[in-house]
Amino acid sequence: MIMTVNLQTPVQYLKGVGPRAAMLLKKLGVLTVEDLIYFFPRDYDDRTQVALISELTSADYQVIRGEIIDIRQQLTRNHFSVLKLKIADHSGSIQAVSFNQPYLARLFRPGMKLIISGKLEFSSFEGINQFIVRDYEIDTGVNPKIVPLYPLTKGLFPKKLRNIAKTALDNCLADIEEWLPEELRLKHKLCGLCEAIEHLHFPAKLSQTVPARRRLAFDDFFIFQLGLGLRQSRIKAEAGISYNIDQRMLNDLQEALPFKLTSAQERVLKEIQADMQSNHPMNRLLQGDVGSGKTIIAALSSLLAIHNGYQVALMAPTEILAQQHYDKIIRLPGYQKIRVGLLTGATRKNKQVEKLDKHDLIIGTHALIQDKVNFEKLGLVIIDEQHRFGVQQRAQLVKKGVNPDFLVMTATPIPRSLALTLYGDLDRSVIDELPPGRTPVKTYFVPEDKRRGAYEFMRQQIKAGRQVFIVCPLVEESSKVDLKAALDEAERLQRDIFPELTVGLLHGRLKSEAKDQVMKQFKDGQIQILVSTTVIEVGIDIPNATVMVVEHAERFGLSQLHQLRGRIGRGAKQSHCFLLADAKSQESRARIKAMIDSTDGFQLAEVDLKLRGPGDFYGIRQSGLPNFRVADIIMDEKILREARKAAFDLIEEDVNSARNIWQSQGQKVKGAVAGATLN
């Protein structure tokens, strides 16, 4: 019986696939025929551009056409197969090398003509130029001119995948329905969906891939932004708390502060104030570079809620940061008669916190979201360093109130394209101004042979009454990677380099009481040098610390380096950051240069995003980053903005149509539902 194939047919039953290939395709996320149709090439070989062997360059991938003169197969000690073909055309010959495809030795024979794409590389072992094979095809004289190159997995070969992709399109492309409204498609000059899919898989010429890719990238962004927009519209339609703002009280509080708010802080406070006065829940992201003064905004916003009879929950990612917020806020004007509680793993175990209904502001860690923790009248939820929490963790805290206002804060500058993707359903406020009196930190690259000079500089700073942070990537030595460990480094520095000084140690494995003790000693000046892991990355505020040394700086992303550097330069004294690194790779050199050239967190975040890509940008995969089929938030930011506007315009014009599209297409972007849902 011949099986009828449709879009939902398991890919195994497509002609030419079978159980083994289906298992390999599953590794690539391809389960159905529809998955295969939306599994697009990563690149193309343009075989209309054939290079002569004598004219090959090492600049990029090229295509050659020639005859096999000789075949040699080798097996390395690790049983790794290396096939070497001598290929000749009328201009000369070259050795083409293919790795770990031993079956090719049985397929090829001298005299056979091939079309090969690959890259010219110099082999220092053999002392000759070689052509490293990326793809090949037997030259029949009627070969396709543009050949798609798909992502592969071990055991799945290029020609096989091309053939089954072609079979899928031949059988089921006509079943793909155009879902984008024609009016919207024409307005944005987008080609049809089936045309885009066909041209992205098998273009007759490379120029066809440009409008095809634009259409499919637009689809990715449009679907995702539609989910964000629908969520935002739903929240804005909900009945929230309308706070009565006592402007005189707020003005008196600001007058009583030991410093004047910056114009950026005043602007952001007004934006939050307008949200809190409205009849709908606030849903706002507050971005501000390290040291820009987000905590005072959170404290003043909390007082607005408290003076209206509501409770506030402020959740921080670490006990150190929660304790620091607590210590700082209780000293602020307006908080003398406010009942402030601290709830962390340590305080909960020690039963130091009474019932939460006796507190106006509760500052805590993940302990706040435990099932046993309940609030009497939660009106405002503030999440600090929100990227440290998963979507569900943030949602759990919000659910402890009835449509409370929601403010998330981050000191990690987020590039605009990433902010529109991750937090596109939030209103956005930015503190883009540092308080006066801050002196920009000077940053230096220190190679290993200059380490002693850095130590001497540290000694001079300490003699002048300053303190030093030294950051190491690991807590203890690993047998797999040769990195400096905080434990061994602290001991070495105390014993061999600074025996006359006090060297402290802080890391994530210390118990809360021990961490608090170390931080108190450092803050009080009893410790001159604090060796730490990245536990100090967020929020630690020691104005007297003027030197930061980062060991193995090449192991950190730019945003993390910037966060670490933000622990110094918090006073008027000049601060210095030393990056000790083995900067051999181009990427690590680029990161270090960027750190030296700029103290602008937003500029560094853009560079970091381009260097590392969105998936590794401070580990935000947990935060709902979607797995787009085609779209790239770095390359396609212009399309992202266009699709976002189109999605939000459609919601405003015809919310029912928008909901129907979301319900039919929302699952097409993996992660879109998680990213667009906080309830």
Side-chain angles (χ1 to χ4, degrees):
M1 185 178 79
I2 299 175
M3 182 177 179
T4 302
V5 175
N6 59 47
L7 292 171
Q8 301 311 314
T9 299
V11 73
Q12 172 180 341
Y13 301 109
L14 188 67
K15 184 180 178 182
V17 181
R20 184 174 180 279
M23 182 181 66
L24 297 173
L25 286 166
K26 184 178 180 180
K27 292 182 180 180
L28 297 169
V30 175
L31 302 176
T32 67
V33 172
E34 185 175 20
D35 291 338
L36 188 55
I37 286 175
Y38 279 98
F39 185 73
F40 296 111
R42 58 179 169 77
D43 203 354
Y44 303 87
D45 272 342
D46 183 356
R47 295 183 180 173
T48 64
Q49 305 295 318
V50 178
L52 292 175
I53 289 174
S54 63
E55 296 176 357
L56 286 173
T57 66
S58 57
D60 208 342
Y61 286 103
Q62 295 161 94
V63 176
I64 61 173
R65 201 172 203 151
E67 182 179 327
I68 300 174
I69 304 301
D70 185 41
I71 302 173
R72 286 184 295 143
Q73 187 175 24
Q74 296 178 348
L75 205 62
T76 67
R77 292 180 195 174
N78 299 326
H79 302 285
F80 196 69
S81 169
V82 181
L83 185 66
K84 298 180 180 179
L85 307 174
K86 186 175 183 181
I87 303 292
D89 65 11
H90 70 269
S91 71
S93 64
I94 194 166
Q95 179 170 278
V97 180
S98 177
F99 297 103
N100 216 27
Q101 297 188 68
Y103 72 95
L104 292 180
R106 300 189 299 272
L107 175 65
F108 294 150
R109 61 183 183 277
M112 184 179 284
K113 293 181 179 179
L114 298 179
I115 300 172
I116 305 174
S117 72
K119 199 167 187 178
L120 191 69
E121 290 183 5
F122 180 75
S123 169
S124 55
F125 180 74
E126 296 199 35
I128 60 171
N129 281 323
Q130 299 182 140
F131 196 66
I132 307 302
V133 176
R134 173 167 76 163
D135 195 24
Y136 74 92
E137 194 149 10
I138 296 170
D139 188 355
T140 64
V142 290
N143 300 81
K145 295 179 180 179
I146 307 295
V147 177
L149 302 173
Y150 293 90
L152 298 170
T153 188
K154 186 177 180 181
L156 193 60
F157 301 106
K159 191 170 182 180
K160 171 83 170 176
L161 191 44
R162 280 198 291 272
N163 287 339
I164 61 177
K166 184 71 167 61
T167 302
L169 263 62
D170 289 345
N171 279 272
C172 294
L173 180 59
D175 296 338
I176 298 288
E177 294 182 6
E178 178 61 71
W179 56 268
L180 204 59
E182 185 177 8
E183 182 182 349
L184 199 152
R185 194 159 52 82
L186 293 173
K187 179 181 178 181
H188 294 278
K189 299 178 181 177
L190 299 168
C191 64
L193 182 54
C194 288
E195 177 187 335
I197 292 171
E198 185 173 19
H199 286 176
L200 210 54
H201 277 286
F202 298 105
K205 48 188 178 181
L206 277 178
S207 60
Q208 290 179 331
T209 65
V210 177
R213 191 187 174 283
R214 180 173 175 272
R215 163 62 203 265
L216 289 157
F218 185 96
D219 285 3
D220 279 347
F221 288 140
F222 182 82
I223 294 167
F224 187 72
Q225 293 295 328
L226 206 59
L228 294 176
L230 286 168
R231 179 179 183 273
Q232 186 184 76
S233 67
R234 187 180 69 248
I235 289 172
K236 289 186 175 180
E238 291 174 345
I241 305 163
S242 179
Y243 295 93
N244 177 39
I245 305 298
D246 186 341
Q247 196 61 54
R248 179 179 292 181
M249 180 270 292
L250 195 57
N251 291 340
D252 289 345
L253 285 173
Q254 292 185 55
E255 287 293 326
L257 290 172
F259 51 84
K260 189 178 186 305
L261 294 184
T262 65
S263 58
Q265 286 174 312
E266 288 179 349
R267 183 189 70 244
V268 166
L269 189 58
K270 285 178 181 176
E271 291 169 351
I272 292 170
Q273 185 177 325
D275 281 352
M276 295 182 74
Q277 281 180 305
S278 79
N279 295 318
H280 309 293
M282 174 168 66
N283 198 39
R284 185 168 290 276
L285 169 68
L286 173 57
Q287 274 186 269
D289 211 341
V290 285
S292 62
K294 296 179 298 302
T295 303
I296 187 61
I297 298 299
L300 292 174
S301 302
S302 297
L303 283 176
L304 296 179
I306 292 165
H307 278 274
N308 277 264
Y310 287 89
Q311 291 176 293
V312 179
L314 194 166
M315 186 163 72
T318 66
E319 293 187 2
I320 290 176
L321 186 53
Q323 181 72 56
Q324 187 169 282
H325 280 320
Y326 177 84
D327 294 340
K328 187 180 290 186
I329 287 174
I330 59 173
R331 296 190 185 97
L332 289 172
Y335 273 90
Q336 284 67 37
K337 296 181 180 179
I338 301 298
R339 298 164 299 182
V340 183
L342 179 65
L343 183 63
T344 66
T347 60
R348 189 161 50 86
K349 288 174 186 175
N350 297 335
K351 298 182 180 178
Q352 294 172 1
V353 176
E354 299 173 10
K355 290 182 179 180
L356 293 181
D357 58 13
K358 293 186 178 181
H359 294 88
D360 303 304
L361 169 62
I362 303 93
I363 300 169
T365 58
H366 298 76
L368 288 173
I369 64 175
Q370 301 300 313
D371 291 339
K372 293 180 181 179
V373 175
N374 294 302
F375 296 82
E376 184 180 77
K377 199 177 180 183
L378 182 61
L380 174 62
V381 170
I382 302 174
I383 309 280
D384 193 18
E385 291 305 327
Q386 50 70 40
H387 67 274
R388 297 299 186 92
F389 300 98
V391 171
Q392 295 305 319
Q393 290 173 315
R394 300 197 295 264
Q396 280 177 270
L397 187 52
V398 171
K399 283 182 178 178
K400 291 181 181 289
V402 179
N403 293 342
D405 281 1
F406 182 55
L407 177 67
V408 293
M409 307 193 300
T410 181
T412 301
I414 305 168
R416 180 167 175 80
S417 61
L418 198 56
L420 289 177
T421 307
L422 281 174
Y423 310 111
D425 57 335
L426 302 178
D427 296 314
R428 186 167 170 254
S429 292
V430 180
I431 302 178
D432 51 6
E433 178 184 1
L434 289 177
R438 292 287 176 90
T439 304
V441 177
K442 292 183 178 178
T443 304
Y444 315 88
F445 166 58
V446 182
E448 188 60 36
D449 60 351
K450 303 291 184 183
R451 178 183 288 272
R452 288 282 171 181
Y455 287 158
E456 185 54 37
F457 182 85
M458 290 159 56
R459 184 174 275 108
Q460 295 304 317
Q461 286 282 297
I462 292 168
K463 282 182 180 178
R466 310 284 170 247
Q467 290 167 284
V468 175
F469 283 111
I470 296 180
V471 181
C472 299
L474 292 181
V475 176
E476 57 192 22
E477 289 292 348
S478 164
S479 60
K480 294 181 180 179
V481 285
D482 185 21
L483 296 180
K484 290 187 179 298
L487 289 168
D488 291 346
E489 182 68 354
E491 290 177 6
R492 186 185 72 83
L493 289 170
Q494 183 70 85
R495 182 184 64 245
D496 301 334
I497 311 298
F498 301 107
E500 76 281 14
L501 302 174
T502 303
V503 179
L505 176 65
L506 184 70
H507 58 76
R509 297 185 187 181
L510 287 175
K511 292 183 177 179
S512 300
E513 296 84 352
K515 288 179 188 174
D516 293 342
Q517 181 66 21
V518 170
M519 285 309 303
K520 186 177 186 306
Q521 290 175 336
F522 191 50
K523 189 172 276 190
D524 293 344
Q526 298 171 31
I527 292 173
Q528 288 85 43
I529 299 173
L530 182 62
V531 177
S532 174
T533 59
T534 55
V535 70
I536 61 122
E537 175 189 350
V538 175
I540 303 299
D541 190 3
I542 310 289
N544 193 50
T546 59
V547 179
M548 164 73 66
V549 177
V550 183
E551 295 280 0
H552 293 282
E554 77 277 5
R555 299 282 177 170
F556 297 93
L558 258 179
S559 292
Q560 195 173 33
L561 286 173
H562 180 63
Q563 286 287 306
L564 291 169
R565 182 171 62 182
R567 298 309 106 219
I568 59 174
R570 304 182 77 82
K573 297 291 183 183
Q574 180 65 62
S575 291
H576 308 265
C577 178
F578 298 114
L579 304 177
L580 279 72
D582 183 14
K584 291 180 180 177
S585 74
Q586 185 176 346
E587 183 181 324
S588 61
R589 289 194 297 271
R591 279 204 300 270
I592 288 169
K593 184 178 186 305
M595 283 290 293
I596 292 170
D597 291 346
S598 177
T599 57
D600 184 329
F602 288 94
Q603 181 182 334
L604 291 171
E606 294 285 355
V607 175
D608 200 21
L609 185 64
K610 288 173 183 173
L611 285 174
R612 294 199 294 159
D616 294 320
F617 186 83
Y618 69 83
I620 44 82
R621 287 208 179 278
Q622 63 156 344
S623 301
L625 184 71
N627 182 16
F628 292 126
R629 298 170 300 190
V630 171
D632 183 304
I633 65 172
I634 302 171
M635 281 176 38
D636 302 322
E637 184 176 349
K638 186 177 178 182
I639 303 174
L640 166 58
R641 296 190 190 195
E642 186 180 354
R644 176 179 171 83
K645 186 177 185 311
F648 277 63
D649 285 350
L650 180 63
I651 292 167
E652 189 172 338
E653 294 163 9
D654 186 353
V655 70
N656 289 328
S657 176
R659 283 199 193 101
N660 290 337
I661 291 174
W662 169 253
Q663 287 167 3
S664 68
Q665 302 296 320
Q667 76 281 4
K668 299 290 176 66
V669 179
K670 294 175 183 175
V673 176
T677 306
L678 254 180
N679 53 13

